Amino acid sequence: MKRCTADILKALRQLMSRHQLNAYLVPSEDAHMSEYVADCDKRRAQLTGFTGSAGTALVTESEALMWTDGRYFLQAEQQMDSNWTLMRALAKDVPTLTEYLANRGFARVGFDPTTLPFGRFIEMRDSLAAGGTELVGLPDNLVDAVWTGRPERPLGRRLFLLTAEEAGAGPAEKLALLRQEMQKCKAGLLILSALDDVAWLFNYRAVGVIPMSPVLFAYAAVTPDSAHLFADLHESALAEFKQHVAETGVQLHAYAKFQSELEKLVAGSSGRVWLDHRASAAVGLPVPKARVYTADSPASVLKAVKYAPERAGMARAHVLDAVALCRYLHWLELQLAAGSPVTELSGSNQLDQLRSEMEGFVEISFETISGSGSNGAIIHYRVTPETDRPIVPDEAYLVDSGGHYRCGTTDVTRTVFYGAAPGAQLKRHYTLVLRGHIALSRLTFPENVLGSRLDTHARAALWTAGLEFQHGTGHGVGVFLNVHEGPCAISGSRANPHEIGLKRGMIVTIEPGFYLAGQYGIRVENVVEVVPQPGIAEGFDGLQFLTFKPLTLVPISTKLVDRSQLADEDVAWLNNYHAEVRQVVGDELKKRGFAETYEWLVRETEPI
Amino acid sequence: MKRCTADILKALRQLMSRHQLNAYLVPSEDAHMSEYVADCDKRRAQLTGFTGSAGTALVTESEALMWTDGRYFLQAEQQMDSNWTLMRALAKDVPTLTEYLANRGFARVGFDPTTLPFGRFIEMRDSLAAGGTELVGLPDNLVDAVWTGRPERPLGRRLFLLTAEEAGAGPAEKLALLRQEMQKCKAGLLILSALDDVAWLFNYRAVGVIPMSPVLFAYAAVTPDSAHLFADLHESALAEFKQHVAETGVQLHAYAKFQSELEKLVAGSSGRVWLDHRASAAVGLPVPKARVYTADSPASVLKAVKYAPERAGMARAHVLDAVALCRYLHWLELQLAAGSPVTELSGSNQLDQLRSEMEGFVEISFETISGSGSNGAIIHYRVTPETDRPIVPDEAYLVDSGGHYRCGTTDVTRTVFYGAAPGAQLKRHYTLVLRGHIALSRLTFPENVLGSRLDTHARAALWTAGLEFQHGTGHGVGVFLNVHEGPCAISGSRANPHEIGLKRGMIVTIEPGFYLAGQYGIRVENVVEVVPQPGIAEGFDGLQFLTFKPLTLVPISTKLVDRSQLADEDVAWLNNYHAEVRQVVGDELKKRGFAETYEWLVRETEPI
């Protein structure tokens, strides 16, 4: 359904005229370049009607243009009314935003500096300067000004304050580590822009601010002798929070005070000002050019290597999560066997319910992908009432889901089949995906190797059959924090300049797949911990050699496996994995009195 | 031996004073960022006494500093006299060149704009500008002015003019392809700075200008309706060359006219000016900032995919080269069996001699690495009279060598052992290297995958044993052109922003190794062609699937193989490879009457 955008465009153009702007730029990003965006920050969606995650709008005096990529062409056409022109990014003869602006030769293009990454702003500014076009940063967002009924920015209300024992280190210790990194780089001021970096630093988590991302709207600023947190807490949470951070000496400021305090902090400090890659133009612009130091956030880099209690918490979260997922898969089998209808949506709701029964469960960590048959072939499928379909025994069913628990975050995908006998092609494809999963899981590699250099090991088996999947092989996972966490990953399609090498104690996913449009989707995903390779005390030239240890402990369908296509080593890996699943998760199921699910687990973990 | 640099430094400082410079910068690069540098361009070596390939000198009024990397610390200390201070790049507390300059706060730092890549110049200029330091480009090189007895820049004298049939396309057709690329990118002027790009475009090769690199000193400039070649040819070659390029309408200019003509071409053209990544500051500075377009050279990208006659020529060159190398390895076996002394150097000379007897041989394509025992463990070893040692039967012997033939260029490494029985450790390491070589050689992969994503397949076997090698796995190879050719490669240690994906018809090396300091080096290197994977007519989503086909046809030592450590598929690959070597190279040996070498070949290619 299209929303009429005539009124909001008219109001915006009036404001543009008042500011003498030829155009106004509306990106999708919030001020922290967050993956999930709060409702109050969905300005591009409000303006255009298009609700997809990626897109940039540009409103001129006579035109309204929206750039998005191929994933969203159809959705954008369906959602945008005739006031808008869709700009198909990368399509032939479609200019980029910068090219378009350069061609038009506007004098003044307005934007909100919090919504553009600083690096991108510099690039655009420099390439437009030659043509006389000025990018004009306005402190107040013009879309906000014309947005009737814009939601309030949510306060931190339901807070989780992690002890140093839970988190592995207290905020004072983490501040000291950041200051060490600052000293190495001659930085006199560090600004943390990423919301999960700030939550990590101060050992808090928050629910109800950004869906599925347990963070607050916040910035942190660190100097050699002071620390500042800019965040709005509900008064019910304030006293306890102040006590929580008392030993750090951190000064608490209102979130809205960040911009004015930043200017004071820059003026009052010396040396470089360290900005991370999430910093917006609003953060970078007040810093004198010669003092700007842009590099990976040291908090992101430190956060990627988990402390021992975090690793233990993640392992525990995955056992809890496995209980819920095993109960779901068992329940689903029973329902289908009894002929009781289950749909993708009702199944997904049942899974949410079972997760919510686990102790320490907080919320789901991302929107569940529950896809049966051809819906499973849509990589980023989200079931809606319109697309919902029954889960039936004779189709492959793909379920990708996860939860935030007080002790950790999970992300697991299984592909199952409840019919009598899967087709030969489905078995062949499933076995190729599984071979890739096992090949990467079994790999031994030296410390600090980039994960992007390992990703093809999860693809090589599919490649032998002329098959490929079009998504990354794995991503970092936060500890009761963002389910997609940088800067380590196992993804090679696009080179990521911010990627860092794999180290002992990092936690990532391994999730190869295969998607046959109109028929089925297959994905096998575990969360794994980077651990020393047993048996190699010290490698060549003092290198430590590492491998992956699965944290996810949920049966991998053996019904879909073509045993003859697995090497002996692959079979041994699978049987060992299932033995551990049966042992660890089996104990939990028995302890909790889920005797029938335990019997199901025993069947599902039989050696092949 | 140290050369005294007092006089040249004194003379340089006088010139610096005349130009009011606080410092003068002397990089190692020639004006084309060539891998091999002609003697007349070895300014940094002339100034400092240090002859290594990488290093940057900076002379101030009171200091003389030379930055180089860890490979060269020892050599630089041995070669530089006390006037010079060695700056150990990346060592603790050693500033980078830019940091040093920023700290010193000089007003004017001089340099020759032809010796700095344009991109690096921009970075340095911008980061020094804030501190008030100006980089001053001087048209004449100050080291040249004080260099007594500087060699003349060599003219093109011995030219090879390739027919369109040999090269796959004539210069007019290649110009048309370049103009198509220019049109796509809205470029009105293209400057080719890389010497091999210019040689490729005009289908010439030249010997005697730069050692081992069959090119001329040249620039090319292309507009939609004109083409310009800046190069100095000896008059004996001129008439034939003019005829060779007659149909292109190219205007020939003296090499020294490039700078002044460039300014006219920029002024006389419209649209973007396309500079490749080899362009020096001298090329970039005359171009208005808004018109600069820096991207991969379209000639490099086109050149990487070989035409059918080029592929056939490369295959033929490898057969010719295999005859020479088989004769050498057989000869060496006989010498050692007879107790006749052979050293690394005399062996290398014998190999050169045998190559030179092959029809179409022009010169070697790089300095031969001939390393016995512990010398083989030095990755970039070059034998000198000082390091020379006998090749003895009980040591592993590594020989990495190649030639330029009229029809193609070769690069091959074999590791052999002529003793009774190699030690268990050597066999184990050799077998791990071979497993890596075979794993990558057998890989199936989709078109356009970056080679850097495949490189770990050549390492995974070594990694299982906690071992690693510290060089790239493979590089592109030119056709009777540079033995190291971009922009495709199979090397993942450093992300290369200019790397392009693998396509059918590209030619690269596969050369994993292992080096045990003080004991031995192992490397097994083939040149391979990227070919369609037989049996996959069309892959998923229309992707073409590819694999590697060895062009190098020289026996791989089986004496060093631990058969029990190879999978059946690896054994099958090796036996198939040897069957082809025996067939193809065996026929050549018989045809040429090398009956004993043929018998040796049969023994060396016995199935295992």
Coordinates of all heavy atoms in Angstrom, one line a residue, chain B residues 25 78 159 187 265 360 411 540 604-605:
Chain B
L25 N 63.7 14.3 -1.0 CA 63.2 13.0 -0.8 C 63.6 12.1 -2.0 O 63.5 12.6 -3.2 CB 61.7 13.1 -0.8 CG 60.8 11.9 -0.5 CD1 61.1 11.4 0.9 CD2 59.4 12.3 -0.7
Q78 N 75.1 -3.1 6.3 CA 76.4 -3.5 5.7 C 76.8 -2.5 4.6 O 78.0 -2.3 4.4 CB 76.3 -4.9 5.2 CG 76.3 -6.0 6.2 CD 75.9 -7.4 5.7 OE1 75.4 -7.5 4.6 NE2 76.1 -8.4 6.5
L159 N 64.1 -4.7 -31.0 CA 62.7 -4.7 -30.8 C 62.1 -6.0 -31.4 O 62.6 -6.5 -32.4 CB 62.0 -3.5 -31.5 CG 62.0 -2.1 -30.9 CD1 61.1 -1.2 -31.6 CD2 61.7 -2.2 -29.4
A187 N 35.7 9.2 -19.8 CA 37.1 9.8 -19.8 C 37.4 10.3 -21.2 O 37.2 9.6 -22.2 CB 38.1 8.7 -19.4
L265 N 47.7 17.9 -24.0 CA 46.6 17.0 -24.1 C 45.5 17.2 -23.1 O 44.3 17.1 -23.4 CB 47.1 15.5 -24.0 CG 47.9 15.0 -25.2 CD1 48.8 13.8 -24.8 CD2 46.9 14.6 -26.3
G360 N 63.7 -19.6 -29.9 CA 62.8 -18.5 -29.4 C 63.1 -17.9 -28.1 O 62.5 -17.0 -27.6
D411 N 57.9 -19.5 -15.5 CA 58.3 -19.3 -14.1 C 58.0 -20.6 -13.4 O 56.8 -21.0 -13.3 CB 57.5 -18.2 -13.5 CG 57.9 -17.9 -12.1 OD1 58.7 -18.6 -11.5 OD2 57.3 -17.0 -11.5
F540 N 25.2 -22.6 -11.3 CA 24.1 -21.9 -10.6 C 24.0 -20.4 -11.0 O 25.0 -19.7 -11.1 CB 24.3 -22.0 -9.1 CG 23.1 -21.5 -8.3 CD1 21.9 -22.1 -8.4 CD2 23.3 -20.3 -7.6 CE1 20.9 -21.5 -7.7 CE2 22.3 -19.8 -6.9 CZ 21.1 -20.4 -6.9
E604 N 61.1 -40.4 -13.8 CA 60.6 -39.3 -12.9 C 59.1 -39.2 -13.0 O 58.5 -38.5 -12.1 CB 61.3 -38.0 -13.3 CG 62.8 -37.9 -13.0 CD 63.1 -37.9 -11.5 OE1 62.4 -37.1 -10.8 OE2 63.9 -38.7 -11.1
T605 N 58.5 -39.8 -14.0 CA 57.1 -39.6 -14.1 C 56.3 -40.9 -13.9 O 55.2 -41.1 -14.3 CB 56.7 -39.1 -15.5 OG1 57.3 -39.9 -16.5 CG2 57.2 -37.6 -15.7

